[in-house]
Amino acid sequence: MNRSNDCATDRSIRTKSQPATGNPPPSADFLQLNIGDAPAGGRTDWLARQLRLAIADGRLPVGSRLPATRVLAAELRVSRGLITEAYQRLSEDGHVAGSGRNGTVVVAAPIPTRPEAPAGPPPRPLQPTPHLQTLPHPSALFTPTPGTDIFDTLRATPARIDLSPGVPDLAAFPRSAWLRAERTVLRKLPASAFGYGDPHGAPALRSAVADWLARNRGIRADPGGIVITAGTAQTLTLLGQVLHREGIRTVAVEDPGSLGARQHLRNCGLSTPPAPVDADGIRVDELRATGAPAVLLTPAHQFPTGVVLGGERRRELMRWATEHDGLIIEDDYDAEHRYDRAPVPALRSLLAEHVCYAGSVSKLLAPALRIGWVLAPPRYRDALVAAKRFADLGNAVLPQLVLAQLMESGALERQLRLLRGRHRRRRDAMIAAISAHLPDALVHGAAAGLHLTVTFDGGFRDTDLAAAALTRGVKVQPLSWHSQRPHRPGLVLGYAAPTTTDITEGLAILGTALRHM
Amino acid sequence: MNRSNDCATDRSIRTKSQPATGNPPPSADFLQLNIGDAPAGGRTDWLARQLRLAIADGRLPVGSRLPATRVLAAELRVSRGLITEAYQRLSEDGHVAGSGRNGTVVVAAPIPTRPEAPAGPPPRPLQPTPHLQTLPHPSALFTPTPGTDIFDTLRATPARIDLSPGVPDLAAFPRSAWLRAERTVLRKLPASAFGYGDPHGAPALRSAVADWLARNRGIRADPGGIVITAGTAQTLTLLGQVLHREGIRTVAVEDPGSLGARQHLRNCGLSTPPAPVDADGIRVDELRATGAPAVLLTPAHQFPTGVVLGGERRRELMRWATEHDGLIIEDDYDAEHRYDRAPVPALRSLLAEHVCYAGSVSKLLAPALRIGWVLAPPRYRDALVAAKRFADLGNAVLPQLVLAQLMESGALERQLRLLRGRHRRRRDAMIAAISAHLPDALVHGAAAGLHLTVTFDGGFRDTDLAAAALTRGVKVQPLSWHSQRPHRPGLVLGYAAPTTTDITEGLAILGTALRHM
């Protein structure tokens, strides 16, 4: 799979203007599509729009056939996934139908569309949050201190606009589908299922997760090897306990990398030496230098930089794991959300003996469900199940069965497609707003996920910027939360949960806050 | 509250015949009720039956008034709760209505009832469980060994009839009410509620639990002091972690006492010295002798003996706690289920500063829900919330809100009343079957709860009896699982979940197994 072209432009995007490259951008005979016309980070959007226009203006009449995805991807030198995605969106709109061998056929012409109106209601007046006005040093809120949890503190702090990362579009939670699935489950459930469950998880969900991972993450897993947990936070704690009991005291982490994950490992008595992340992901030479026997990674969409672990790095990492009997903890937290790039196979699919894979529905449905899964290497499996048993005797049964029902019926894949469309539009709105209000910011990791990261050249502290934004009613996470080593100032901005109106207004406020730094 | 009379007969019941006591049994003018006619352990049942007969045969015509519960309780020298319970059952049947100042009035005459037919289908042939036939030493199944979990092993072992303790009548789970409550919750829930929740638990559930504890357990609690957990097993693990971090290494436990609870504490690095239980509950002098700074107790219905912690013992325990700054962990696991005795106030209601109170819905609704609560003394509260956050970031939100809805609407109290009736009938069936098939067994703790315990004079090992029963298709727990010190052989028998047919057949099989020991 040739993704190198894709990644190079996505890794970091100057929002001002793209520097010209040596070769002319690839183009296709079909509709004279020229990929160079596509905005950075918005190519699926662009392709879908071009197709819609062509259908609307008669260039693609009803009954005509779109090129095979393989062919068009080769001509435009983009991933086949990008083409499939664009076709999928037209299919969801009802303009095209069919796929696979019979090809994709135009079935209805759309009413010509206008770009999404970003006008909305006039921006609300900028009133400082009263609670914070009284704080002498609001930036103290953003400085992690032992004994208090900064996430809890921030969550409890009111803000008009919340651009915290890590949450999908919660308004899209499929309430009716969930309730319907629960009714179906309750109708056929034997009474004994209300008793104490299996600490491994409900067999139905373990099967559904195995199927899901095979379909969506390229992982072939025996349901017997899957353990259901209360989300990745619990997975890390259980695994941390198991590793600690095995005598392991160190788990290397990416830098920058998730503060929350690091806190969970440290709470288990593990130290977390940082290994720097560059444009290809974790520096494996630096990982080797830590001497750690295990490492926590986010290979598909690194948190918070959004880079993809490159092919050579993957091979290097495999060598490290096999040579040192090392353990790779793969946190596949938002791998299903991608917009302008092909899917990245999970490390677990390549090296099951050395990879402990952690996933959850927090980014697919809702963090409030507290359901995740872990595939441990066989040597850790029994200890992990024992840890789960001691933690809580196993997840609640009913929500597991409802989720299994949603997975097996295809409802979760439909939800994912719905989310992709909604998230992509919000992502695009955020990039546009950054371009307008933070024109000197460098944008990272916008090709996938639920957040992007911006960095600045200025010599200020990003905790001060986050605090200034919060006094103006906008909640963001400073990049330094997630950095153990010195780093350029930056912000981690979630775009999946807030509306485009809030995104636009929030970025305008951030721009004002930045100008006052 | 004078309960001494009640307890003395309930604590241990010779099923063969009641030894005659000095004084004649108390009786009432009303209907010439003579409490001496009531079968041991079945007095509420008996009273309800007498009332039904009197209504059916016209002695209590429609419109007539039942005596005040206070009056009848005094005449029969039983707890007022027993009378209220009997009236409640007739009210549920639709035969009487009203209560409080206006009294209870007969509103409809029943069709004369026959005793519940225990005939059912002919007993299934006694086939040994195939899986177990091949085991050379089935009793090994019942011998706890480090590294394996005996509960998991037993749960995974098939049996036709399951008389394991600790589970309510699962067939009574209120599926429709649950689904209705969930629909109501989903209709009004803001999208933000699908995000990461509060590690303390959902505010709505914490309020509902506070109200529940005030109504049903005599505990006045501020919702702010309640932490929602994934059940008492998780509560013990979280608390064990907190105590261990505080430097505590020993938590005394009752002997006999729950094996599962002991395993959870030990997994946190705590030793669990036994303090013997006698007819008044834990021996506080023996607790003092352990030197432990904390103790785990089941005061309302001791597991597995069913004794109630006596008044003098309570006072002694309070003295221990205040003098030694000791911590009492009160596991109030099935306090709401009582049949022939008055409710026992929670220790927490008497000494909040020294009692960490743990409750759950496992015995009220279903263990599969994995929802519990803990009220810690203020000094442990923050550490407990931090432990919960690291464990799983807090319980799943949706089931918490559904449960809150059921608690606030009164549905959970209705469920409890329904369960009491069903459980009581099954309890009576079990006592009758024990009387028929294990005539020399001594029955303990049948006045409340979901299980009873039988002990034998014989010199055999109860693990061998449990194994012999399992080879015949009946699953029970040997008393020795729950004993750290030498004890008479015994079995812990759950009667709440199995049908009366299974109970009767299961006891017949146990009788056969016992005769072959």
Side-chain angles (χ1 to χ4, degrees):
Chain A
M1 200 176 311
N2 178 5
R3 291 178 18 259
S4 56
N5 222 16
D6 252 51
C7 290
T9 52
D10 283 336
R11 230 167 250 150
S12 56
I13 306 162
R14 275 269 170 213
T15 56
K16 277 176 162 175
S17 63
Q18 292 290 330
T21 51
N23 295 322
S27 56
D29 288 340
F30 174 66
L31 300 180
Q32 294 79 55
L33 293 170
N34 184 334
I35 199 75
D37 296 337
R43 295 187 299 181
T44 314
D45 230 349
W46 169 82
L47 177 59
R49 195 164 55 242
Q50 296 303 317
L51 294 171
R52 267 200 215 94
L53 281 172
I55 297 172
D57 67 20
R59 280 177 292 158
L60 280 176
V62 170
S64 65
R65 203 169 292 274
L66 301 186
T69 53
R70 196 183 56 254
V71 173
L72 190 55
E75 288 192 312
L76 294 176
R77 271 187 264 154
V78 297
S79 74
R80 196 168 162 192
L82 190 153
I83 310 292
T84 309
E85 197 68 51
Y87 285 14
Q88 181 64 43
R89 293 186 63 187
L90 267 74
S91 167
E92 281 166 13
D93 295 340
H95 303 141
V96 303
S99 65
R101 277 193 211 139
N102 299 320
T104 306
V105 177
V106 177
V107 292
I111 298 160
T113 53
R114 290 183 303 168
E116 195 179 341
R124 286 161 282 187
L126 295 184
Q127 287 173 338
T129 307
H131 169 62
L132 287 170
Q133 254 183 321
T134 63
L135 287 176
H137 299 294
S139 75
L141 256 180
F142 288 94
T143 309
T145 47
T148 64
D149 184 78
I150 201 154
F151 294 108
D152 282 358
T153 308
L154 194 62
R155 183 171 36 232
T157 306
R160 280 191 301 118
I161 297 175
D162 193 347
L163 303 181
S164 303
V167 193
D169 181 357
L170 300 174
F173 184 85
R175 301 180 190 215
S176 306
W178 182 271
L179 201 62
R180 252 194 327 272
E182 183 149 337
R183 189 182 304 117
T184 306
V185 165
L186 279 171
R187 198 179 295 137
K188 61 187 179 188
L189 202 61
S192 60
F194 290 104
Y196 287 96
D198 185 340
H200 291 83
L205 180 58
R206 294 158 77 205
S207 289
V209 168
D211 293 346
W212 172 270
L213 293 176
R215 284 199 306 272
N216 293 286
R217 301 298 298 127
I219 296 173
R220 292 175 55 146
D222 172 20
I226 293 172
V227 180
I228 303 300
T229 70
T232 299
Q234 184 178 63
T235 298
L236 289 178
T237 287
L238 298 178
L239 196 60
Q241 291 167 354
V242 168
L243 296 180
H244 195 272
R245 286 190 184 199
E246 297 256 329
I248 289 177
R249 293 290 179 275
T250 314
V251 175
V253 296
E254 297 165 314
D255 191 70
S258 162
L259 169 64
R262 209 160 72 229
Q263 287 177 335
H264 273 74
L265 294 175
R266 286 194 181 159
N267 185 58
C268 298
L270 301 165
S271 69
T272 56
V277 168
D278 66 17
D280 280 318
I282 193 166
R283 289 266 306 275
V284 182
D285 55 337
E286 298 261 13
L287 165 61
R288 282 180 197 271
T290 66
V295 61
L296 171 65
L297 286 180
T298 50
H301 184 240
Q302 203 273 334
F303 186 90
T305 67
V307 300
V308 175
L309 189 65
E312 180 47 35
R313 287 288 164 81
R314 288 175 169 244
R315 287 185 286 278
E316 223 184 316
L317 195 66
M318 302 292 169
R319 279 197 296 277
W320 168 82
T322 47
E323 282 165 17
H324 291 76
D325 197 23
L327 176 69
I328 298 165
I329 306 167
E330 178 174 30
D331 178 1
D332 204 34
Y333 71 106
D334 68 359
E336 298 90 350
H337 299 275
R338 57 193 170 74
Y339 313 112
D340 314 311
R341 64 159 216 223
V344 182
L347 290 178
R348 169 78 191 190
S349 66
L350 309 171
L351 196 69
E353 291 298 308
H354 290 277
V355 176
C356 185
Y357 176 92
S360 88
V361 294
S362 293
K363 276 55 170 174
L364 280 169
L365 282 169
L369 294 177
R370 308 311 309 132
I371 304 180
W373 40 83
V374 53
L375 283 74
R379 61 181 157 151
Y380 292 117
R381 204 168 292 160
D382 289 348
L384 202 62
V385 174
K388 175 63 177 167
R389 188 194 313 114
F390 282 118
D392 53 20
L393 303 183
N395 263 44
V397 174
L398 210 48
Q400 288 187 74
L401 299 179
V402 175
L403 177 59
Q405 174 85 8
L406 291 179
M407 281 177 149
E408 295 291 13
S409 70
L412 196 59
E413 258 116 349
R414 282 195 295 278
Q415 174 71 8
L416 179 56
R417 284 197 296 273
L418 173 80
L419 283 182
R420 270 191 193 149
R422 294 169 72 115
H423 290 171
R424 190 193 290 105
R425 284 188 286 279
R426 291 174 175 192
R427 193 264 322 244
D428 292 347
M430 184 171 271
I431 289 177
I434 291 170
S435 182
H437 301 293
L438 303 172
D440 293 319
L442 200 61
V443 177
H444 310 261
L450 310 176
H451 74 273
L452 51 75
T453 294
V454 290
T455 53
F456 305 93
D457 281 331
F460 59 90
R461 297 199 311 177
D462 53 20
T463 47
D464 290 339
L465 176 56
L470 192 54
T471 59
R472 290 172 156 87
V474 179
K475 207 181 274 189
V476 296
Q477 285 186 5
L479 179 58
S480 54
W481 270 18
H482 305 292
S483 310
Q484 297 191 76
R485 297 145 50 111
H487 207 276
R488 280 194 297 173
L491 298 175
V492 187
L493 302 173
Y495 52 74
T499 63
T500 52
T501 311
D502 278 354
I503 288 170
T504 307
E505 187 185 344
L507 265 296
I509 293 170
L510 274 175
T512 308
L514 182 63
R515 281 193 298 280
H516 286 84
M517 290 302 291
Chain B
M1 200 178 308
N2 178 6
R3 291 177 17 258
S4 56
N5 221 16
D6 251 51
C7 289
T9 53
D10 282 337
R11 228 169 251 147
S12 54
I13 308 163
R14 277 268 170 215
T15 58
K16 274 176 161 174
S17 63
Q18 292 291 331
T21 51
N23 296 323
S27 56
D29 289 341
F30 175 66
L31 300 179
Q32 294 79 56
L33 294 171
N34 184 337
I35 199 72
D37 297 337
R43 295 184 299 177
T44 313
D45 229 348
W46 169 84
L47 178 58
R49 195 164 54 243
Q50 296 304 316
L51 293 172
R52 265 199 216 93
L53 283 173
I55 297 172
D57 67 19
R59 281 178 290 157
L60 279 177
V62 170
S64 65
R65 201 171 293 273
L66 302 187
T69 53
R70 195 184 58 253
V71 173
L72 191 55
E75 288 193 311
L76 295 176
R77 271 187 264 154
V78 298
S79 76
R80 197 168 161 191
L82 190 154
I83 310 292
T84 308
E85 198 67 53
Y87 285 15
Q88 181 63 42
R89 292 186 62 186
L90 267 75
S91 168
E92 281 165 15
D93 295 340
H95 303 140
V96 303
S99 66
R101 280 191 209 138
N102 299 320
T104 306
V105 177
V106 177
V107 293
I111 299 159
T113 54
R114 289 182 305 169
E116 195 178 341
R124 287 159 283 184
L126 295 184
Q127 286 172 339
T129 307
H131 168 61
L132 287 170
Q133 254 183 322
T134 61
L135 286 177
H137 298 296
S139 75
L141 256 180
F142 288 93
T143 309
T145 47
T148 64
D149 185 78
I150 201 154
F151 294 107
D152 282 358
T153 309
L154 194 62
R155 182 173 36 234
T157 307
R160 280 190 303 115
I161 296 174
D162 192 347
L163 303 181
S164 302
V167 194
D169 181 357
L170 300 175
F173 184 84
R175 301 181 191 218
S176 306
W178 182 271
L179 201 62
R180 249 191 333 269
E182 183 149 338
R183 190 182 302 114
T184 306
V185 166
L186 279 171
R187 199 178 296 136
K188 61 186 179 188
L189 203 60
S192 59
F194 290 104
Y196 288 95
D198 185 339
H200 291 83
L205 181 58
R206 294 157 77 204
S207 288
V209 168
D211 292 347
W212 172 270
L213 293 176
R215 285 200 305 273
N216 293 286
R217 300 299 298 127
I219 296 173
R220 293 173 54 144
D222 171 22
I226 293 172
V227 180
I228 303 300
T229 70
T232 299
Q234 183 178 63
T235 298
L236 289 178
T237 287
L238 298 179
L239 196 60
Q241 291 168 353
V242 168
L243 294 180
H244 195 272
R245 286 190 184 200
E246 298 255 328
I248 290 177
R249 293 291 179 273
T250 314
V251 175
V253 297
E254 297 164 316
D255 191 71
S258 162
L259 170 63
R262 209 161 70 231
Q263 287 177 335
H264 273 74
L265 294 176
R266 286 194 181 159
N267 184 58
C268 298
L270 300 166
S271 69
T272 57
V277 168
D278 65 17
D280 281 317
I282 193 166
R283 290 267 304 275
V284 181
D285 55 335
E286 299 262 14
L287 165 61
R288 282 179 196 271
T290 66
V295 62
L296 172 64
L297 286 181
T298 50
H301 184 241
Q302 203 274 333
F303 186 91
T305 67
V307 299
V308 175
L309 188 65
E312 180 47 35
R313 287 290 164 79
R314 288 175 169 242
R315 287 185 287 277
E316 225 183 317
L317 195 64
M318 302 294 165
R319 278 195 297 276
W320 168 82
T322 46
E323 282 165 17
H324 292 76
D325 197 23
L327 177 70
I328 298 166
I329 306 167
E330 178 173 27
D331 178 1
D332 204 35
Y333 71 107
D334 69 358
E336 298 89 351
H337 300 275
R338 57 192 171 71
Y339 315 112
D340 314 312
R341 64 159 215 223
V344 182
L347 290 179
R348 169 78 190 191
S349 65
L350 309 171
L351 197 69
E353 291 298 308
H354 290 278
V355 176
C356 185
Y357 176 92
S360 87
V361 295
S362 293
K363 279 46 171 179
L364 280 170
L365 281 169
L369 294 178
R370 309 309 310 129
I371 305 181
W373 43 82
V374 52
L375 282 73
R379 60 182 159 153
Y380 293 116
R381 204 168 292 159
D382 288 348
L384 202 63
V385 174
K388 175 64 176 166
R389 187 195 312 116
F390 282 118
D392 53 20
L393 303 184
N395 263 46
V397 174
L398 211 46
Q400 288 188 74
L401 299 180
V402 175
L403 177 60
Q405 174 85 8
L406 291 179
M407 282 179 149
E408 294 291 14
S409 70
L412 195 59
E413 258 116 349
R414 283 195 294 278
Q415 174 71 7
L416 179 57
R417 284 197 296 272
L418 173 81
L419 283 180
R420 271 192 193 150
R422 293 169 73 116
H423 291 170
R424 190 192 291 105
R425 284 187 285 279
R426 291 173 175 190
R427 193 258 332 236
D428 293 346
M430 184 170 271
I431 289 177
I434 291 170
S435 181
H437 302 293
L438 303 172
D440 293 320
L442 200 60
V443 177
H444 309 261
L450 310 176
H451 74 273
L452 51 76
T453 295
V454 290
T455 54
F456 306 94
D457 281 332
F460 59 91
R461 297 198 310 176
D462 54 20
T463 47
D464 291 337
L465 178 55
L470 193 54
T471 60
R472 291 173 156 89
V474 178
K475 207 181 274 188
V476 296
Q477 284 186 7
L479 179 58
S480 55
W481 271 18
H482 304 291
S483 309
Q484 296 192 74
R485 298 146 49 109
H487 206 275
R488 281 195 296 175
L491 298 175
V492 186
L493 303 172
Y495 51 74
T499 63
T500 53
T501 312
D502 277 356
I503 288 170
T504 307
E505 187 185 344
L507 265 296
I509 293 170
L510 273 175
T512 309
L514 183 63
R515 283 193 297 279
H516 287 84
M517 289 303 291

